[in-house]
């Protein structure tokens, strides 16, 4: 019998790609999502790709009663991947309580249910934002975390602590925190991808919308950083590669192959690219010329970060495989598909 995995936030960007990879490896998936930042039609897109419709329930996991009722009815769940969260950095500064409530209470409700219904395994979607601007690059999992720049970033850090503290005193539980670097791109079918509400804050969705003429020119935030071309550097990871790492993390927990009850892995490519390299890479991959100008730095941005992926490579046997240009092309194909551009 297929093992049942709960994917919270499974209609969202990384969640939907992970559902596809889980289903293709034979897992049964049930999604919980409140659709606050995604659409129900994503379920049809997933079904088109895999031929299997995932289970779905619409509610917010910060609601303790609904979360308890759900787990009470689904005690056969073997593991949880928890993506569901509010994720807009700027918005989190304006409405911190919403972010803390939504992102922290949901994890607490999930852990409560895991203990109550004996569901041992949790994979949590964390972020390289917990490292701030590190002194030494690339960052390993042992690089010290720093104070968060925003309530959003703080929720990732505190969520990690809630998870590890709870696991410490509940040794029947096992958790893996995955610290993502910058996920970009879309499924090669162009049926699922990133669909930000309003004006995209992240680089690649802004680029694709600008290229599609949905937005004006791209603003490159800063060319006076201490980097080879002066623009800021990130580690951009293909979302399908990222999704595959989640399946490996689930396999690891279900097979009891984890070395500790609480483990942390960086998920990046190990390569840093500057904003201007992304602009050039997009133009080269797609043949579309971008309209852009250099403006001042964006408040709260760090200068440079990229991952040391040795631990994930060696322990998970996972490595990002899809190259930058191919990834940027998938992002463009997705944008073209939703805008009906030929
Ligand atoms: C941001 C969040 C991070 C979160 C991640 C999720 C901040 C400070 N950090 O990371 O916490 O986990 O998104 O994906 O917001 N850029 C431009 N022009 C644009 C947009 C971005 O030049 O219109 C630049 C940024 O200055 C940055 C790079 O592109 O140097 C990447 O930006 P973005 O995609 O927003 O990701 P992060 O800021 O790295």
């Amino acid at each position: 019998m297929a093992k049942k995995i709960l994917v919270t936030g499974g209609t969202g960007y990384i969640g939907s790609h992970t559902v596809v990879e889980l289903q293709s490896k034979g897992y049964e998936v049930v999604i919980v999502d409140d659709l606050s930042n995604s659409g129900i039609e994503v379920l049809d897109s997933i079904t088109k790709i895999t031929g299997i419709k995932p289970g779905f329930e619409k509610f917010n996991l910060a609601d303790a009663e609904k979360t308890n009722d759900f787990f009470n009815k689904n005690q056969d769940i073997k593991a949880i991947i928890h993506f569901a969260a509010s994720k807009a950095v700027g918005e989190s500064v304006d409405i911190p309580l919403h972010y803390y409530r939504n992102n922290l209470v949901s994890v607490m409700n999930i852990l409560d249910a895991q203990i109550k219904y004996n569901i041992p395994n949790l994979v949590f979607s964390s972020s390289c934002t917990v490292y701030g601007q590190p002194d030494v690059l690339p960052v390993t999992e042992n690089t010290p975390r720093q104070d968060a720049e925003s309530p959003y970033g703080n929720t990732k850090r505190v969520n990690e602590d809630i998870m590890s503290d709870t696991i410490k005193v509940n040794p029947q539980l096992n958790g893996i925190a995955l610290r993502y670097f910058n996920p970009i791109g879309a499924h090669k079918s162009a049926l699922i991808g990133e669909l930000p509400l309003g004006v995209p804050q992240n680089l690649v969705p802004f680029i694709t919308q600008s290229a599609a003429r949905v937005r004006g020119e791209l603003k490159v935030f800063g060319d006076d950083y201490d980097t080879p071309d002066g623009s800021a550097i990130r580690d951009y990871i293909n979302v399908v590669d990222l999704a595959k790492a989640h399946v490996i993390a689930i396999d690891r927990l279900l097979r009891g192959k984890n070395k500790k009850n609480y483990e942390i892995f960086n998920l990046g490519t190990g390569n840093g690219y500057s904003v201007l390299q992304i602009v050039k890479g997009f133009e080269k991959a797609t043949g579309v010329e971008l309209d852009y100008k250099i403006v001042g730095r964006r408040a709260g941005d760090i200068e440079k970060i990229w991952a040391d992926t040795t631990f994930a490579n060696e322990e998970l046997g996972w490595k990002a495989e899809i190259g930058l240009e191919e990834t940027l092309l998938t992002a463009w194909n997705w944008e073209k598909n939703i805008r009906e551009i030929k």
Side-chain angles (χ1 to χ4, degrees), residues 78-119:
K78 299 285 181 250
I80 301 157
I81 309 181
H82 181 44
F83 293 104
S86 303
K87 63 170 187 179
V89 177
E91 184 185 63
S92 79
V93 175
D94 297 331
I95 46 171
L97 283 178
H98 173 79
Y99 272 70
Y100 286 116
R101 191 171 296 115
N102 213 25
N103 294 3
L104 301 187
V105 177
S106 54
V107 169
M108 294 192 262
N109 287 341
I110 287 170
L111 286 163
D112 268 338
Q114 287 188 260
I115 293 164
K116 185 164 172 192
Y117 298 108
N118 196 22
I119 301 170

mmCIF file of all heavy atoms in Angstrom, residues 78-119:
data_model
loop_
_atom_site.group_PDB
_atom_site.id
_atom_site.type_symbol
_atom_site.label_atom_id
_atom_site.label_comp_id
_atom_site.label_asym_id
_atom_site.label_seq_id
_atom_site.Cartn_x
_atom_site.Cartn_y
_atom_site.Cartn_z
ATOM 1 N N LYS A 78 1.971 8.919 7.329
ATOM 2 C CA LYS A 78 3.267 8.399 7.788
ATOM 3 C C LYS A 78 4.286 9.522 8.006
ATOM 4 O O LYS A 78 5.253 9.358 8.749
ATOM 5 C CB LYS A 78 3.846 7.419 6.754
ATOM 6 C CG LYS A 78 2.961 6.209 6.514
ATOM 7 C CD LYS A 78 3.055 5.239 7.681
ATOM 8 C CE LYS A 78 2.196 4.008 7.478
ATOM 9 N NZ LYS A 78 1.046 3.975 8.375
ATOM 10 N N ALA A 79 4.115 10.624 7.290
ATOM 11 C CA ALA A 79 5.078 11.723 7.419
ATOM 12 C C ALA A 79 4.427 12.999 6.903
ATOM 13 O O ALA A 79 3.462 12.956 6.133
ATOM 14 C CB ALA A 79 6.343 11.423 6.628
ATOM 15 N N ILE A 80 5.009 14.111 7.360
ATOM 16 C CA ILE A 80 4.468 15.429 7.001
ATOM 17 C C ILE A 80 5.595 16.259 6.389
ATOM 18 O O ILE A 80 6.713 16.272 6.910
ATOM 19 C CB ILE A 80 3.956 16.148 8.271
ATOM 20 C CG1 ILE A 80 2.881 15.306 8.955
ATOM 21 C CG2 ILE A 80 3.451 17.555 7.944
ATOM 22 C CD1 ILE A 80 2.705 15.620 10.432
ATOM 23 N N ILE A 81 5.274 16.951 5.309
ATOM 24 C CA ILE A 81 6.182 18.007 4.822
ATOM 25 C C ILE A 81 5.425 19.313 5.001
ATOM 26 O O ILE A 81 4.330 19.486 4.455
ATOM 27 C CB ILE A 81 6.575 17.834 3.348
ATOM 28 C CG1 ILE A 81 7.098 16.419 3.082
ATOM 29 C CG2 ILE A 81 7.625 18.878 2.972
ATOM 30 C CD1 ILE A 81 7.539 16.186 1.639
ATOM 31 N N HIS A 82 6.013 20.191 5.804
ATOM 32 C CA HIS A 82 5.280 21.413 6.172
ATOM 33 C C HIS A 82 5.818 22.624 5.416
ATOM 34 O O HIS A 82 6.844 23.203 5.784
ATOM 35 C CB HIS A 82 5.388 21.631 7.676
ATOM 36 C CG HIS A 82 4.650 22.843 8.158
ATOM 37 N ND1 HIS A 82 3.387 23.158 7.722
ATOM 38 C CD2 HIS A 82 5.008 23.812 9.032
ATOM 39 C CE1 HIS A 82 2.991 24.291 8.309
ATOM 40 N NE2 HIS A 82 3.961 24.703 9.104
ATOM 41 N N PHE A 83 5.098 22.992 4.361
ATOM 42 C CA PHE A 83 5.437 24.199 3.590
ATOM 43 C C PHE A 83 4.557 25.390 3.967
ATOM 44 O O PHE A 83 4.957 26.535 3.780
ATOM 45 C CB PHE A 83 5.205 23.981 2.088
ATOM 46 C CG PHE A 83 6.108 22.997 1.429
ATOM 47 C CD1 PHE A 83 5.658 21.724 1.091
ATOM 48 C CD2 PHE A 83 7.406 23.335 1.103
ATOM 49 C CE1 PHE A 83 6.476 20.827 0.448
ATOM 50 C CE2 PHE A 83 8.237 22.444 0.454
ATOM 51 C CZ PHE A 83 7.769 21.178 0.122
ATOM 52 N N ALA A 84 3.322 25.106 4.388
ATOM 53 C CA ALA A 84 2.316 26.175 4.501
ATOM 54 C C ALA A 84 2.801 27.285 5.423
ATOM 55 O O ALA A 84 3.046 27.055 6.612
ATOM 56 C CB ALA A 84 1.007 25.595 5.033
ATOM 57 N N ALA A 85 2.938 28.483 4.877
ATOM 58 C CA ALA A 85 3.391 29.628 5.671
ATOM 59 C C ALA A 85 3.228 30.895 4.856
ATOM 60 O O ALA A 85 3.171 30.852 3.626
ATOM 61 C CB ALA A 85 4.865 29.463 6.054
ATOM 62 N N SER A 86 3.186 32.003 5.565
ATOM 63 C CA SER A 86 3.216 33.302 4.887
ATOM 64 C C SER A 86 4.667 33.625 4.591
ATOM 65 O O SER A 86 5.541 33.381 5.432
ATOM 66 C CB SER A 86 2.626 34.378 5.784
ATOM 67 O OG SER A 86 1.315 34.024 6.145
ATOM 68 N N LYS A 87 4.940 34.185 3.411
ATOM 69 C CA LYS A 87 6.364 34.264 3.012
ATOM 70 C C LYS A 87 6.812 35.594 2.425
ATOM 71 O O LYS A 87 7.916 35.667 1.876
ATOM 72 C CB LYS A 87 6.677 33.135 2.031
ATOM 73 C CG LYS A 87 5.894 33.228 0.728
ATOM 74 C CD LYS A 87 6.413 32.231 -0.292
ATOM 75 C CE LYS A 87 5.748 32.455 -1.632
ATOM 76 N NZ LYS A 87 6.215 31.559 -2.665
ATOM 77 N N ALA A 88 6.004 36.627 2.513
ATOM 78 C CA ALA A 88 6.435 37.905 1.935
ATOM 79 C C ALA A 88 7.205 38.713 2.981
ATOM 80 O O ALA A 88 6.640 39.138 4.000
ATOM 81 C CB ALA A 88 5.250 38.690 1.422
ATOM 82 N N VAL A 89 8.485 38.899 2.727
ATOM 83 C CA VAL A 89 9.370 39.531 3.712
ATOM 84 C C VAL A 89 8.866 40.935 4.090
ATOM 85 O O VAL A 89 8.739 41.265 5.273
ATOM 86 C CB VAL A 89 10.801 39.616 3.147
ATOM 87 C CG1 VAL A 89 11.722 40.337 4.104
ATOM 88 C CG2 VAL A 89 11.331 38.229 2.855
ATOM 89 N N GLY A 90 8.570 41.764 3.091
ATOM 90 C CA GLY A 90 8.140 43.144 3.334
ATOM 91 C C GLY A 90 6.835 43.194 4.116
ATOM 92 O O GLY A 90 6.689 43.954 5.086
ATOM 93 N N GLU A 91 5.894 42.343 3.719
ATOM 94 C CA GLU A 91 4.591 42.298 4.389
ATOM 95 C C GLU A 91 4.763 41.893 5.860
ATOM 96 O O GLU A 91 4.059 42.379 6.746
ATOM 97 C CB GLU A 91 3.692 41.285 3.664
ATOM 98 C CG GLU A 91 2.289 41.211 4.205
ATOM 99 C CD GLU A 91 1.483 40.108 3.514
ATOM 100 O OE1 GLU A 91 1.864 38.919 3.637
ATOM 101 O OE2 GLU A 91 0.473 40.430 2.878
ATOM 102 N N SER A 92 5.726 41.020 6.115
ATOM 103 C CA SER A 92 5.919 40.538 7.489
ATOM 104 C C SER A 92 6.348 41.664 8.426
ATOM 105 O O SER A 92 6.089 41.613 9.627
ATOM 106 C CB SER A 92 6.924 39.387 7.528
ATOM 107 O OG SER A 92 8.258 39.851 7.454
ATOM 108 N N VAL A 93 7.007 42.670 7.847
ATOM 109 C CA VAL A 93 7.410 43.822 8.668
ATOM 110 C C VAL A 93 6.169 44.631 9.047
ATOM 111 O O VAL A 93 6.069 45.156 10.166
ATOM 112 C CB VAL A 93 8.418 44.700 7.877
ATOM 113 C CG1 VAL A 93 8.768 45.969 8.647
ATOM 114 C CG2 VAL A 93 9.679 43.901 7.556
ATOM 115 N N ASP A 94 5.196 44.708 8.136
ATOM 116 C CA ASP A 94 3.990 45.509 8.378
ATOM 117 C C ASP A 94 2.981 44.802 9.283
ATOM 118 O O ASP A 94 2.270 45.450 10.043
ATOM 119 C CB ASP A 94 3.307 45.832 7.037
ATOM 120 C CG ASP A 94 4.207 46.686 6.155
ATOM 121 O OD1 ASP A 94 5.020 47.446 6.717
ATOM 122 O OD2 ASP A 94 4.122 46.570 4.922
ATOM 123 N N ILE A 95 2.883 43.476 9.141
ATOM 124 C CA ILE A 95 1.894 42.741 9.949
ATOM 125 C C ILE A 95 2.554 41.555 10.656
ATOM 126 O O ILE A 95 2.275 40.392 10.373
ATOM 127 C CB ILE A 95 0.671 42.302 9.101
ATOM 128 C CG1 ILE A 95 1.102 41.672 7.755
ATOM 129 C CG2 ILE A 95 -0.275 43.460 8.861
ATOM 130 C CD1 ILE A 95 -0.070 41.021 7.002
ATOM 131 N N PRO A 96 3.440 41.887 11.618
ATOM 132 C CA PRO A 96 4.205 40.820 12.269
ATOM 133 C C PRO A 96 3.329 39.786 12.984
ATOM 134 O O PRO A 96 3.616 38.588 12.926
ATOM 135 C CB PRO A 96 5.105 41.575 13.259
ATOM 136 C CG PRO A 96 4.514 42.940 13.397
ATOM 137 C CD PRO A 96 3.824 43.228 12.120
ATOM 138 N N LEU A 97 2.277 40.256 13.634
ATOM 139 C CA LEU A 97 1.469 39.289 14.396
ATOM 140 C C LEU A 97 0.867 38.240 13.488
ATOM 141 O O LEU A 97 0.781 37.060 13.839
ATOM 142 C CB LEU A 97 0.352 40.015 15.164
ATOM 143 C CG LEU A 97 0.815 40.744 16.425
ATOM 144 C CD1 LEU A 97 -0.363 41.466 17.068
ATOM 145 C CD2 LEU A 97 1.460 39.764 17.407
ATOM 146 N N HIS A 98 0.419 38.687 12.322
ATOM 147 C CA HIS A 98 -0.126 37.725 11.356
ATOM 148 C C HIS A 98 0.932 36.677 11.024
ATOM 149 O O HIS A 98 0.654 35.468 10.976
ATOM 150 C CB HIS A 98 -0.573 38.453 10.080
ATOM 151 C CG HIS A 98 -0.977 37.511 8.996
ATOM 152 N ND1 HIS A 98 -2.213 36.890 8.986
ATOM 153 C CD2 HIS A 98 -0.297 37.054 7.904
ATOM 154 C CE1 HIS A 98 -2.270 36.108 7.923
ATOM 155 N NE2 HIS A 98 -1.136 36.186 7.253
ATOM 156 N N TYR A 99 2.171 37.135 10.804
ATOM 157 C CA TYR A 99 3.236 36.196 10.441
ATOM 158 C C TYR A 99 3.573 35.244 11.584
ATOM 159 O O TYR A 99 3.737 34.051 11.386
ATOM 160 C CB TYR A 99 4.485 36.962 9.937
ATOM 161 C CG TYR A 99 4.361 37.184 8.452
ATOM 162 C CD1 TYR A 99 3.413 38.068 7.959
ATOM 163 C CD2 TYR A 99 5.110 36.452 7.544
ATOM 164 C CE1 TYR A 99 3.229 38.237 6.597
ATOM 165 C CE2 TYR A 99 4.940 36.618 6.175
ATOM 166 C CZ TYR A 99 4.002 37.507 5.708
ATOM 167 O OH TYR A 99 3.824 37.647 4.361
ATOM 168 N N TYR A 100 3.700 35.811 12.789
ATOM 169 C CA TYR A 100 4.022 34.932 13.916
ATOM 170 C C TYR A 100 2.899 33.930 14.166
ATOM 171 O O TYR A 100 3.135 32.739 14.375
ATOM 172 C CB TYR A 100 4.328 35.760 15.177
ATOM 173 C CG TYR A 100 5.688 36.431 15.093
ATOM 174 C CD1 TYR A 100 5.822 37.809 15.069
ATOM 175 C CD2 TYR A 100 6.850 35.664 15.019
ATOM 176 C CE1 TYR A 100 7.071 38.415 14.970
ATOM 177 C CE2 TYR A 100 8.106 36.261 14.923
ATOM 178 C CZ TYR A 100 8.201 37.626 14.895
ATOM 179 O OH TYR A 100 9.437 38.210 14.789
ATOM 180 N N ARG A 101 1.664 34.406 14.124
ATOM 181 C CA ARG A 101 0.534 33.508 14.397
ATOM 182 C C ARG A 101 0.476 32.407 13.344
ATOM 183 O O ARG A 101 0.424 31.216 13.644
ATOM 184 C CB ARG A 101 -0.772 34.307 14.427
ATOM 185 C CG ARG A 101 -1.947 33.512 14.963
ATOM 186 C CD ARG A 101 -3.171 34.379 15.179
ATOM 187 N NE ARG A 101 -2.974 35.395 16.200
ATOM 188 C CZ ARG A 101 -2.970 36.711 15.979
ATOM 189 N NH1 ARG A 101 -3.158 37.199 14.764
ATOM 190 N NH2 ARG A 101 -2.782 37.559 16.958
ATOM 191 N N ASN A 102 0.486 32.839 12.106
ATOM 192 C CA ASN A 102 0.317 31.886 11.014
ATOM 193 C C ASN A 102 1.463 30.873 10.958
ATOM 194 O O ASN A 102 1.238 29.670 10.854
ATOM 195 C CB ASN A 102 0.285 32.680 9.701
ATOM 196 C CG ASN A 102 -0.607 32.049 8.677
ATOM 197 O OD1 ASN A 102 -1.541 31.316 9.010
ATOM 198 N ND2 ASN A 102 -0.322 32.319 7.429
ATOM 199 N N ASN A 103 2.681 31.377 11.046
ATOM 200 C CA ASN A 103 3.827 30.498 10.806
ATOM 201 C C ASN A 103 4.251 29.707 12.040
ATOM 202 O O ASN A 103 4.748 28.593 11.905
ATOM 203 C CB ASN A 103 5.018 31.309 10.285
ATOM 204 C CG ASN A 103 4.749 31.902 8.906
ATOM 205 O OD1 ASN A 103 3.656 31.759 8.367
ATOM 206 N ND2 ASN A 103 5.726 32.567 8.342
ATOM 207 N N LEU A 104 4.064 30.267 13.223
ATOM 208 C CA LEU A 104 4.514 29.550 14.426
ATOM 209 C C LEU A 104 3.422 28.637 14.980
ATOM 210 O O LEU A 104 3.674 27.487 15.329
ATOM 211 C CB LEU A 104 4.975 30.524 15.514
ATOM 212 C CG LEU A 104 6.123 31.466 15.133
ATOM 213 C CD1 LEU A 104 6.599 32.246 16.358
ATOM 214 C CD2 LEU A 104 7.293 30.706 14.518
ATOM 215 N N VAL A 105 2.211 29.144 15.040
ATOM 216 C CA VAL A 105 1.133 28.339 15.642
ATOM 217 C C VAL A 105 0.878 27.090 14.800
ATOM 218 O O VAL A 105 0.606 26.010 15.332
ATOM 219 C CB VAL A 105 -0.152 29.187 15.831
ATOM 220 C CG1 VAL A 105 -1.275 28.342 16.388
ATOM 221 C CG2 VAL A 105 0.143 30.370 16.756
ATOM 222 N N SER A 106 1.009 27.222 13.479
ATOM 223 C CA SER A 106 0.766 26.042 12.630
ATOM 224 C C SER A 106 1.763 24.928 12.955
ATOM 225 O O SER A 106 1.371 23.757 13.071
ATOM 226 C CB SER A 106 0.831 26.419 11.152
ATOM 227 O OG SER A 106 2.043 27.064 10.851
ATOM 228 N N VAL A 107 3.018 25.274 13.137
ATOM 229 C CA VAL A 107 4.014 24.240 13.479
ATOM 230 C C VAL A 107 3.695 23.616 14.831
ATOM 231 O O VAL A 107 3.779 22.395 15.011
ATOM 232 C CB VAL A 107 5.447 24.830 13.486
ATOM 233 C CG1 VAL A 107 6.428 23.849 14.090
ATOM 234 C CG2 VAL A 107 5.872 25.178 12.078
ATOM 235 N N MET A 108 3.290 24.447 15.777
ATOM 236 C CA MET A 108 2.957 23.904 17.111
ATOM 237 C C MET A 108 1.760 22.950 17.022
ATOM 238 O O MET A 108 1.748 21.888 17.642
ATOM 239 C CB MET A 108 2.684 25.052 18.075
ATOM 240 C CG MET A 108 3.929 25.875 18.324
ATOM 241 S SD MET A 108 3.747 27.012 19.699
ATOM 242 C CE MET A 108 3.349 28.497 18.881
ATOM 243 N N ASN A 109 0.767 23.330 16.231
ATOM 244 C CA ASN A 109 -0.407 22.459 16.078
ATOM 245 C C ASN A 109 -0.033 21.129 15.426
ATOM 246 O O ASN A 109 -0.530 20.067 15.823
ATOM 247 C CB ASN A 109 -1.477 23.159 15.247
ATOM 248 C CG ASN A 109 -2.154 24.278 16.024
ATOM 249 O OD1 ASN A 109 -2.088 24.314 17.263
ATOM 250 N ND2 ASN A 109 -2.795 25.190 15.316
ATOM 251 N N ILE A 110 0.863 21.211 14.452
ATOM 252 C CA ILE A 110 1.292 19.979 13.775
ATOM 253 C C ILE A 110 2.049 19.081 14.750
ATOM 254 O O ILE A 110 1.797 17.874 14.835
ATOM 255 C CB ILE A 110 2.148 20.323 12.536
ATOM 256 C CG1 ILE A 110 1.253 20.883 11.428
ATOM 257 C CG2 ILE A 110 2.909 19.089 12.029
ATOM 258 C CD1 ILE A 110 2.001 21.478 10.254
ATOM 259 N N LEU A 111 2.979 19.659 15.513
ATOM 260 C CA LEU A 111 3.757 18.854 16.466
ATOM 261 C C LEU A 111 2.852 18.246 17.535
ATOM 262 O O LEU A 111 3.011 17.080 17.915
ATOM 263 C CB LEU A 111 4.860 19.710 17.097
ATOM 264 C CG LEU A 111 6.044 20.007 16.156
ATOM 265 C CD1 LEU A 111 6.865 21.177 16.676
ATOM 266 C CD2 LEU A 111 6.945 18.772 15.977
ATOM 267 N N ASP A 112 1.875 19.021 18.009
ATOM 268 C CA ASP A 112 0.887 18.485 18.966
ATOM 269 C C ASP A 112 0.210 17.245 18.395
ATOM 270 O O ASP A 112 0.069 16.217 19.059
ATOM 271 C CB ASP A 112 -0.207 19.544 19.210
ATOM 272 C CG ASP A 112 0.102 20.441 20.403
ATOM 273 O OD1 ASP A 112 0.897 20.029 21.274
ATOM 274 O OD2 ASP A 112 -0.473 21.554 20.451
ATOM 275 N N ALA A 113 -0.224 17.375 17.153
ATOM 276 C CA ALA A 113 -0.945 16.260 16.518
ATOM 277 C C ALA A 113 -0.015 15.066 16.299
ATOM 278 O O ALA A 113 -0.424 13.911 16.468
ATOM 279 C CB ALA A 113 -1.533 16.719 15.181
ATOM 280 N N GLN A 114 1.250 15.339 15.959
ATOM 281 C CA GLN A 114 2.200 14.239 15.761
ATOM 282 C C GLN A 114 2.343 13.417 17.035
ATOM 283 O O GLN A 114 2.402 12.190 16.994
ATOM 284 C CB GLN A 114 3.565 14.790 15.354
ATOM 285 C CG GLN A 114 3.615 15.307 13.936
ATOM 286 C CD GLN A 114 5.039 15.639 13.555
ATOM 287 O OE1 GLN A 114 5.438 16.800 13.581
ATOM 288 N NE2 GLN A 114 5.827 14.640 13.217
ATOM 289 N N ILE A 115 2.411 14.132 18.162
ATOM 290 C CA ILE A 115 2.569 13.441 19.443
ATOM 291 C C ILE A 115 1.275 12.675 19.770
ATOM 292 O O ILE A 115 1.296 11.498 20.119
ATOM 293 C CB ILE A 115 2.919 14.455 20.560
ATOM 294 C CG1 ILE A 115 4.306 15.053 20.297
ATOM 295 C CG2 ILE A 115 2.865 13.788 21.939
ATOM 296 C CD1 ILE A 115 4.614 16.315 21.082
ATOM 297 N N LYS A 116 0.160 13.357 19.597
ATOM 298 C CA LYS A 116 -1.126 12.757 19.978
ATOM 299 C C LYS A 116 -1.468 11.531 19.125
ATOM 300 O O LYS A 116 -1.962 10.536 19.636
ATOM 301 C CB LYS A 116 -2.213 13.825 19.837
ATOM 302 C CG LYS A 116 -3.578 13.415 20.306
ATOM 303 C CD LYS A 116 -4.457 14.631 20.486
ATOM 304 C CE LYS A 116 -5.886 14.244 20.759
ATOM 305 N NZ LYS A 116 -6.784 15.403 20.656
ATOM 306 N N TYR A 117 -1.208 11.632 17.821
ATOM 307 C CA TYR A 117 -1.624 10.550 16.911
ATOM 308 C C TYR A 117 -0.456 9.676 16.455
ATOM 309 O O TYR A 117 -0.611 8.864 15.535
ATOM 310 C CB TYR A 117 -2.379 11.138 15.707
ATOM 311 C CG TYR A 117 -3.636 11.857 16.131
ATOM 312 C CD1 TYR A 117 -3.725 13.237 16.084
ATOM 313 C CD2 TYR A 117 -4.719 11.129 16.639
ATOM 314 C CE1 TYR A 117 -4.872 13.897 16.507
ATOM 315 C CE2 TYR A 117 -5.859 11.784 17.067
ATOM 316 C CZ TYR A 117 -5.938 13.161 16.999
ATOM 317 O OH TYR A 117 -7.072 13.797 17.435
ATOM 318 N N ASN A 118 0.691 9.876 17.096
ATOM 319 C CA ASN A 118 1.834 9.027 16.816
ATOM 320 C C ASN A 118 2.253 9.031 15.335
ATOM 321 O O ASN A 118 2.340 7.996 14.690
ATOM 322 C CB ASN A 118 1.543 7.594 17.305
ATOM 323 C CG ASN A 118 2.799 6.776 17.403
ATOM 324 O OD1 ASN A 118 3.900 7.335 17.504
ATOM 325 N ND2 ASN A 118 2.658 5.466 17.334
ATOM 326 N N ILE A 119 2.491 10.228 14.842
ATOM 327 C CA ILE A 119 3.000 10.399 13.467
ATOM 328 C C ILE A 119 4.413 10.950 13.612
ATOM 329 O O ILE A 119 4.603 12.125 13.911
ATOM 330 C CB ILE A 119 2.113 11.382 12.675
ATOM 331 C CG1 ILE A 119 0.684 10.849 12.630
ATOM 332 C CG2 ILE A 119 2.678 11.596 11.266
ATOM 333 C CD1 ILE A 119 -0.331 11.847 12.094
#
